[in-house]
Amino acid sequence: MAKLRYAEALNQALREEMQRDPSVFLFGEDIARYGGVFKVTRGLMDEFGEGRVRDTPISEQTLAAMAVTAAMTGTRPILEIMYADFMPLVLDALINQASIYEYLWNDVSMPFVLRTQGGGGAGAGAQHSKSLDSLVAHIPGLKVVAPVTPADAKGLLKTAIRDSQPVIFLEHKLLYNLRDDVPDDPDFTVEIGKARTVCEGADISIFATSRMVLESHKAAELLAADGISAEVIDLRSLRPLDLSAIKTSIAKTHHAVVVNEGWRFCGYAAELSATIMDHAFDDLDGPVARVTLPDMPVPYSEPLEMAVLPNAAKIADAARATLR
Amino acid sequence: MAKLRYAEALNQALREEMQRDPSVFLFGEDIARYGGVFKVTRGLMDEFGEGRVRDTPISEQTLAAMAVTAAMTGTRPILEIMYADFMPLVLDALINQASIYEYLWNDVSMPFVLRTQGGGGAGAGAQHSKSLDSLVAHIPGLKVVAPVTPADAKGLLKTAIRDSQPVIFLEHKLLYNLRDDVPDDPDFTVEIGKARTVCEGADISIFATSRMVLESHKAAELLAADGISAEVIDLRSLRPLDLSAIKTSIAKTHHAVVVNEGWRFCGYAAELSATIMDHAFDDLDGPVARVTLPDMPVPYSEPLEMAVLPNAAKIADAARATLR
Amino acid sequence: MKNSPSTTERIEMHRKMVLVRRLEERLGELHKAGKTRGPIHRCDGQEAVGVGATAMLATSDYVTSTHRGHAHYVGKGLGVHGIAAEILGRETGYCGGRAGHMLIGEKASGVIGGNAIVGASIPAATGMALSIQVRGGSDVAMCFFGDGAAQTGICHESMNIAALWKLPVVFVLEHNQYGLTVHHSVQSPVADLSIRGAGYAIPSEIVDGNDAVAVYRAVATAVERARRGEGPSLVEAKTYRMQGFSTSDMGGYQGEEDLAAWAARDPIKVSFASLVDAVGQERLEQVEQEAVAEVDAAIEAALEAPLPTFAVFEKTAPYAESF
Amino acid sequence: MKNSPSTTERIEMHRKMVLVRRLEERLGELHKAGKTRGPIHRCDGQEAVGVGATAMLATSDYVTSTHRGHAHYVGKGLGVHGIAAEILGRETGYCGGRAGHMLIGEKASGVIGGNAIVGASIPAATGMALSIQVRGGSDVAMCFFGDGAAQTGICHESMNIAALWKLPVVFVLEHNQYGLTVHHSVQSPVADLSIRGAGYAIPSEIVDGNDAVAVYRAVATAVERARRGEGPSLVEAKTYRMQGFSTSDMGGYQGEEDLAAWAARDPIKVSFASLVDAVGQERLEQVEQEAVAEVDAAIEAALEAPLPTFAVFEKTAPYAESF
Ligand SMILES: Cc1ncc(C[n+]2csc(CCOP(=O)(O)OP(=O)(O)O)c2C)c(N)n1
Ligand SMILES: Cc1ncc(C[n+]2csc(CCOP(=O)(O)OP(=O)(O)O)c2C)c(N)n1
Ligand SMILES: [Mg+2]
Ligand SMILES: [Mg+2]
């Protein structure tokens, strides 16, 4: 067990899987010589060569389409898209290509991973701060994960690389420097589709994704001060959802808050609310509260950005409101 | 009042608005000389010339980005995207461009309309049959409408063209030949953001979009045979939603089914379910039922396609289940 | 001449062109009789491109196709029975009726596959070429795409990447003069699109797309270059679309004179004339009759084959959450 | 020489280059002192492109910019006070702190505007040119974009459409040798990207991007052509990025020799040397000092200006559902 930064944990997962399987290769903008703008791919070109770790032109749409067909023909590509804000550019490859072939054609699988990072809080402005989770979570045939801890970052990335379906791997720019224990075992993996209980509680369930798990954890502390016992669940896998974890928690608390950093309308939090409606309506004693970014662009200036991002205080307020 | 086909009603709206306002112009693939593959733009190039009605190269991504900036600089562009399946190609223009500038910059408005058509039932296969409503409905700063009747097609298109915000105008390939009364009055418009009650009912509310309104209407007839009185509401405007129509109906029926032809997970129906959770939880006597396409590609062969598309029988079943 | 097809290969190309032609004609009839569903995109008059360009490929090479793929499918080795059945939505089709004619894929034959997003065949083949290069193989990937598709952004991006990395891909631009209903002059300011190859330092050539032998020669040179690791080539095959865009096209925008001029240069006629001295009229006619009979049998079989029934089975497994 | 700037214009270009240079230097210092937030993309060493290319434009002409837009902003007439304040996130910035330095837009000046999606400046200007053409105006739209952006699909699509419709747009390719951290040779197989203009029949020219006068001449010719309704032109300005990609760049990949060679050809030095005989050293130094003082005052004012507070007001109205 070593203490690693989140970015280092990802790097370790990539290195181990590339050592294990020669069909794994990486491509993306500035990932090879420079090692990635968030330093996740550092040192890998030196170790594995320019053939398996490739800097690319700025051509996201084509790169994603190439990942799909390279994956169908004997390799396991891992594509880095520098910012989640650029995901619109790869959606044709995901929606009209990756999503359809396992159903249409015989004997095809698509073991590729698309890594990207999103989220606000860094003063990067309206085109570099978004969480567009629902756009990818909407696509059938894809898995979508969003680890929060360094250990999950490593374990989920390894599982994603070994999966035979496309996996969209969502990181967050404010998580890369988070340091924590990470198992050294090269066979350490984390199953996709299983949520993680961050803290147990009896009064309300808070289901959160990505960095919002950390804010939810802080919210649970704020609530504890009011005598409210909140259970925080890190969904980890946005698709498929861990339905049983969701149902079990609500059966206990009868109240829920769902938290996602993306926009509200048709956002990922809407699916969580609707899922709870579908599967746990009878256990609910109050409406599920949604905490999200308001439906507007992420502003640049710090006080504006901080005012619109969801945070612990807003989550705690939502919890109090739905318990009232 | 003339009886017009849905496609003709759209054509009339375009013609009237182009006559009224010289800054309105049309562009898109095969829309000028040929008049559009669904014949919506027939005769307009002859009337308004090649400058205002333009055939374009197959370059959706750029065309949409051009609509955004043309709209910011003194014209009212109307872009036709031939199939909703191609909307992924225009999402960067909508998400990273159109959505942000009214907030970021002073004195800009973006009066453009993007028309497209989606939906299954025509044997067009996995890349030409989708409803991707939630992708566009997720975007702040945009309006999204989906008329079902020829009169609404005309009235909403005219309102959309006159609006100062971008409007995504969703048509359906199986609606173009629908014939019905359409007001001749060139000042006839339909307000964006107002739902339409298709039939009143006391036991359950069915909220539907686009062609699913017709299926829901049939479902109401099936349910009536069982002694269940269903109220069918055509949302017409997917964003903004007519919250008051939704709340009023549920306050009366205490049960709801939401119907959308797109995928289920993170789909538009999820937002409807979550909206009802937010605004009408206390009025609900049962969970909101979602009826959608299953999360898979639309198959080509008729029996397969018909098996997966949502229809009146499935809607009626969902209504019965939630009333049970 | 270098990279010329053998007489045996030329007879085989002739046979395949007739297979495709008969398939197109039968589909046209079935459409008129109301026995098809959804649009069908015929390629009659363009058979020499798809058949000529694939004739030198191995099974392990990859081909990506478009919405107008019948000649590509047959050229790369798919059988007309499975194609006809798929187009008619039958359980016996290559994809069990799930795909339809624009999206036929058959991995075992290297056809992966049809693609109805215009331009998408181009990065698809480029990605396969990347896979080949990463694995260290000597296969090639070939994409077909139209003059309309050449205007898409992914065409530019793919050519740039392919040339930069010297990927083993062959770009076959099937220039049939039309996008959907619009003439190429309404889609691009340059008539010869292969001029764009220079922008990526990609060797480019224009060939007579109605002459299967000419197509074969140019493409074979490109395939060899790709196999040698020297990177992509662009072959622009000039041809003409003799039918409407699809069965839903109302037509009326193609000039009678153009149609007549191109009909005179029908690829099957061109092929027949160039082979008849060496092979003899009798042999060629026999080849043609057998091809016609094969297609007719395929169509009859398809019409009698069962339609699929929807079931949750292995093909829906990746979408398991729905069921 | 045709389309040469007057001496007055050349002094004005000199002044603006110094404004930009000082701005870049001060931002560098502020970053080191921890007084900036978010990445800042400096363009020192490249000022001649943005300033030279915009010097002949009218206020009603449009310019679209990139993530590296300071020289474009100043060239097109924005004031350093509003720019500095926006970069420092102040209420007094051009966009009240909502936009940040990559996204400054000011419609009244025709700067609409910065764009941090690589390549997006290109269709943006093309769309404005379409608007001009539909309205029957004689303005032009100009886009700046980098050597990295030239590899995006929308670059291809935009050039094709602009040439096809003869839109009044000028494509200014600012070739500073690097994408983000990668050398252009890792992004494209051709060193001179203007070769691609031929693929659209777009007149194209390479100019010394460190010589504002050379940039001016080439661009002025392109602007005239556009105003005459003859369509787009492509000007490839060769320059060099003297700083890291942005303030977050760890550097280390740019060659010392290259840096030294380009430093010797610093655009402000080039401009000074070419003006000093005609204008005199004293006058030029005075212009420079005034520019430096103007920037310093702008920075001080910005640092003292209030930060904005979030409110639901007219700018959030289009997003009203949230509030
Ligand atoms: C991205 C996209 N845009 C538009 C269409 C609709 N469409 C189908 S085929 C076609 C024309 C294609 O022209 P070309 O590439 O020359 O192929 P051809 O039909 O001539 O074989 C169009 C516009 C599509 N399928 N995909
Ligand atoms: C679509 C997109 N992909 C990637 C990025 C990240 N990125 C920002 S600038 C840049 C390099 C741009 O290179 P170039 O166009 O030459 O501009 P320069 O930085 O040299 O001015 C990259 C990759 C982005 N902002 N947008
Ligand atoms: Mg064509
Ligand atoms: Mg550059």
Side-chain angles (χ1 to χ4, degrees), chain A residues 3-21:
Chain A
K3 286 236 185 266
L4 294 183
R5 292 190 312 111
Y6 185 96
E8 290 163 348
L10 292 168
N11 185 278
Q12 196 169 79
L14 294 171
R15 175 174 285 109
E16 288 176 8
E17 294 306 301
M18 290 186 80
Q19 283 165 347
R20 204 180 59 84
D21 182 347

Side-chain angles (χ1 to χ4, degrees), chain A residues 292-309:
Chain A
T292 68
L293 193 75
D295 285 324
M296 60 172 291
V298 179
Y300 163 73
S301 184
E302 187 160 19
L304 302 181
E305 184 175 21
M306 291 309 152
V308 304
L309 287 179

